[in-house]
């Protein structure tokens, strides 16, 4: 233990107030009818759309900036970002007992400790964090000045990461603005571009379902989990698994193939697409995906991918998905989509601009990863 640090029970330095079981009959979504109510799903976002209409104990009013913990599912801790609200059951508030403990230090400790508890907690359907488990938490506590120095160090790193992520969002916004300035809305087509069916510009092929085994040939597979907010996918992003089957060459992806999510339990993912860069590696794609391969030389792949990822087009694809228990699209649905087709030189100019933006994003993303690595190291150093 470091000199001057003391080993203390969490409850000796903190107050933990557990939420009140408000009657759901009094819940409303109308802000004019009641007081904001913090439910477990509101912890991460720091704001709520639920209100409570009825009498309530004053001690359950939660204030902006105070820290709360979600006790079901993911054990998140976060500061409340909105106005005063009521603390519902399965959510608790953490405050410092005296002026010798910086709540920011406790907050940082608990972020790591709660993840550790979550990983250790068995569950059948939903994990639950019990008051009894929190009662058993101990930590090493340095003098107040050292607590504040540690918090400042971690806050600085967090601020850097937040600013870098904000830059990434600004670049995404810039890319969207360039698209609309050059081509307009791809659905409304107010600029009167030539229009063709996606099926006239490309061919489609469904993927295969691969069984993972402990021996066999290693292969990289693009699956639904790789589509999270990605506009392009590089082979280096993908992990390898072992498969038994010999894979036909036609199931391997080529540079500039587009791959769509064909079927998924989440409707929001269905129809999402990525542009593929194989990095000269052999990669294939899962049975929940459809490959789209461009055959018309008048189409720039990056331009087409941005059309299909456009905010006006995405809802159309998503809503075209059908199925009772699971959303899905198929080759026939995709082939009927209308695609604007501006002159190829204009598409290529757009692609050049986007590639320049993507290079900037790659550099910033690398910086985010390095700063995050330093943040994680610092957290381990003080709270590991």
């Amino acid at each position: 233990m470091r000199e001057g640090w003391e080993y203390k029970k969490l409850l000796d330095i903190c107050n933990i107030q557990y939420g009140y079981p408000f009657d759901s009959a009094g819940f409303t979504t109308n802000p004019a009818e009641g007081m904001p109510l913090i439910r477990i799903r509101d912890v991460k976002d720091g704001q709520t759309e639920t209100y409570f209409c009825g009498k309530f104990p004053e001690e359950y009013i939660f204030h902006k900036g105070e820290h709360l913990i979600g006790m079901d599912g993911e054990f998140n801790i976060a500061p409340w970002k909105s106005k005063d609200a009521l603390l519902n059951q399965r959510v608790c508030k953490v405050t410092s007992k005296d002026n010798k403990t910086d709540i920011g230090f406790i907050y940082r400790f608990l972020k790591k400790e709660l993840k550790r508890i979550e990983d250790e907690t068995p569950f059948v359907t939903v994990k639950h964090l019990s008051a009894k488990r929190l009662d058993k938490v101990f930590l090493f506590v340095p003098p107040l000045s050292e607590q504040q120095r540690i918090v400042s160090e971690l806050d600085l790193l967090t601020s850097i990461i937040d600013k870098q992520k904000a830059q990434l969002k600004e670049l995404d916004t810039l890319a969207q603005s360039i698209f609309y300035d050059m081509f307009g809305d791809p659905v409304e087509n107010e600029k009167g571009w030539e229009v063709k069916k996606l099926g006239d510009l490309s061919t489609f092929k469904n993927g295969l379902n691969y069984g993972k085994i402990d021996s066999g040939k290693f292969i990289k597979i693009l699956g639904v989990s790789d589509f999270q907010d990605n506009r392009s996918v590089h082979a280096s992003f993908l992990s390898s698994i072992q498969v038994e089957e010999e894979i036909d060459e036609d199931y391997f992806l080529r540079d500039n193939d587009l791959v769509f999510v064909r079927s998924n339990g989440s409707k929001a993912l269905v129809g999402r697409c990525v542009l593929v860069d194989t990095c000269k590696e052999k990669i294939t794609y899962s049975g929940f995906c459809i490959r789209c391969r461009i055959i018309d030389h008048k189409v720039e792949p990056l331009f087409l991918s941005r059309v299909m990822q456009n905010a006006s087009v995405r809802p159309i694809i998503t809503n075209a998905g059908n199925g009772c228990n699971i959303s899905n699209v198929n080759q026939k649905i995709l082939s009927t989509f209308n695609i604007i087709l501006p002159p190829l030189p204009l598409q290529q100019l757009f692609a050049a601009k986007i590639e320049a933006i993507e290079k900037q994003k790659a550099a910033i993303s690398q910086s985010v990863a390095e700063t995050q690595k330093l943040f994680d190291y610092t957290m381990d150093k003080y709270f590991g």
Side-chain angles (χ1 to χ4, degrees):
M1 185 175 73
R2 297 180 178 90
E3 185 177 352
W5 290 50
E6 299 179 81
Y7 192 57
K8 294 186 176 182
K9 191 175 185 179
L10 179 66
L11 292 184
D12 289 339
I13 60 175
C14 289
N15 292 310
I16 298 180
Q17 181 184 3
Y18 297 93
Y20 184 80
F22 289 92
D23 187 351
S24 60
F27 290 7
T28 176
T29 57
N30 187 346
E33 293 182 358
M35 181 84 171
L37 180 73
I38 303 171
R39 304 172 72 180
I40 195 165
R41 63 188 182 190
D42 305 318
V43 172
K44 289 179 73 172
D45 291 339
Q47 54 190 357
T48 182
E49 295 180 353
T50 305
Y51 299 83
F52 179 75
C53 181
K55 294 181 180 181
F56 53 84
E58 294 290 327
E59 62 266 29
Y60 290 98
I61 297 177
F62 193 84
H63 305 290
K64 182 177 181 179
E66 292 184 321
H67 292 77
L68 65 159
I69 297 173
M71 302 179 69
D72 284 339
E74 295 179 339
F75 305 155
N76 295 305
I77 179 170
W80 185 242
K81 301 174 185 176
S82 192
K83 59 185 179 180
D84 289 359
L86 299 174
L87 195 66
N88 196 36
Q89 61 185 340
R90 304 308 302 159
V91 181
C92 64
K93 176 173 76 171
V94 182
T95 55
S96 174
K97 276 189 174 180
D98 54 45
N99 57 10
K100 294 181 181 180
T101 308
D102 188 303
I103 190 60
F105 180 83
I106 300 301
Y107 167 62
R108 295 296 189 186
F109 162 76
L110 282 172
K111 280 188 75 73
K112 194 167 185 68
E113 181 66 15
L114 289 170
K115 183 66 174 87
R116 184 182 295 121
I117 294 173
E118 181 186 327
D119 291 342
E120 294 172 352
T121 302
F123 68 100
V124 178
T125 53
V126 179
K127 292 188 178 186
H128 300 285
L129 176 63
S130 66
K132 185 177 180 181
R133 181 64 181 84
L134 286 175
D135 289 349
K136 296 179 180 179
V137 173
F138 284 79
L139 70 156
F140 288 103
V141 183
L144 180 61
S145 60
E146 178 67 359
Q147 294 176 44
Q148 293 169 336
R149 186 198 66 76
I150 291 170
V151 170
S152 295
E153 183 179 349
L154 290 167
D155 283 350
L156 176 60
L157 292 172
T158 300
S159 175
I160 292 171
I161 293 171
D162 288 344
K163 288 177 181 178
Q164 291 168 332
K165 289 181 176 180
Q167 286 179 306
L168 292 174
K169 288 184 178 179
E170 289 171 2
L171 288 171
D172 279 336
T173 300
L174 175 60
Q176 292 172 22
S177 297
I178 290 173
F179 182 95
Y180 281 108
D181 287 345
M182 294 181 69
F183 308 114
D185 188 298
V187 175
E188 297 295 330
N189 191 19
E190 65 271 22
K191 296 196 176 186
W193 304 116
E194 178 186 2
V195 174
K196 284 193 174 183
K197 300 292 184 185
L198 183 59
D200 295 331
L201 305 174
S202 55
T203 61
F204 302 95
K205 192 174 185 66
N206 289 359
L208 295 175
N209 292 314
Y210 298 97
K212 186 177 179 181
I213 57 175
D214 294 328
S215 61
K217 187 176 181 180
F218 280 95
I219 192 70
K220 288 189 173 182
I221 297 177
L222 174 64
V224 173
S225 61
D226 301 305
F227 285 72
Q228 304 294 334
D229 298 322
N230 290 328
R231 294 188 179 278
S232 61
V233 164
H234 300 263
S236 56
F237 295 169
L238 306 176
S239 56
S240 297
I241 68 169
Q242 289 176 291
V243 297
E244 188 174 10
E245 302 95 329
E246 266 311 311
I247 300 172
D248 188 283
E249 284 295 322
D250 199 32
Y251 285 100
F252 286 110
L253 296 169
R254 300 177 188 171
D255 288 341
N256 294 323
D257 279 345
L258 273 71
V259 181
F260 290 86
V261 176
R262 179 180 66 83
S263 182
N264 187 257
S266 169
K267 189 173 181 180
L269 278 175
V270 171
R272 184 174 288 186
C273 79
V274 293
L275 185 66
V276 175
D277 180 354
T278 66
C279 303
K280 298 182 179 179
E281 292 189 54
K282 279 196 167 185
I283 60 175
T284 186
Y285 54 105
S286 79
F288 293 103
C289 302
I290 299 176
R291 184 200 70 204
C292 173
R293 179 166 293 164
I294 297 170
I295 57 173
D296 191 317
H297 68 278
K298 294 181 181 179
V299 181
E300 161 58 48
L302 196 152
F303 165 77
L304 179 59
S305 72
R306 291 304 171 108
V307 170
M308 301 309 296
Q309 295 160 349
N310 185 272
S312 296
V313 175
R314 282 288 297 118
I316 298 174
I317 301 175
T318 300
N319 292 331
N322 53 67
C324 297
N325 299 317
I326 189 167
S327 298
N328 65 83
V329 295
N330 54 41
Q331 296 183 25
K332 183 177 180 180
I333 291 173
L334 289 174
S335 67
T336 61
F337 277 98
N338 290 324
I339 305 297
I340 60 170
L341 207 61
L344 182 60
L346 198 61
Q347 297 179 45
Q348 292 170 333
L349 175 61
F350 169 76
K353 291 181 178 182
I354 297 303
E355 286 169 354
I357 289 174
E358 289 299 320
K359 285 182 180 179
Q360 293 181 60
K361 286 180 61 181
I364 295 171
S365 295
Q366 179 63 32
S367 183
V368 170
E370 291 171 357
T371 309
Q372 184 65 54
K373 187 175 181 180
L374 178 58
F375 176 87
D376 294 340
Y377 167 79
T378 306
M379 286 287 286
D380 286 340
K381 181 171 66 172
Y382 296 121
F383 305 119

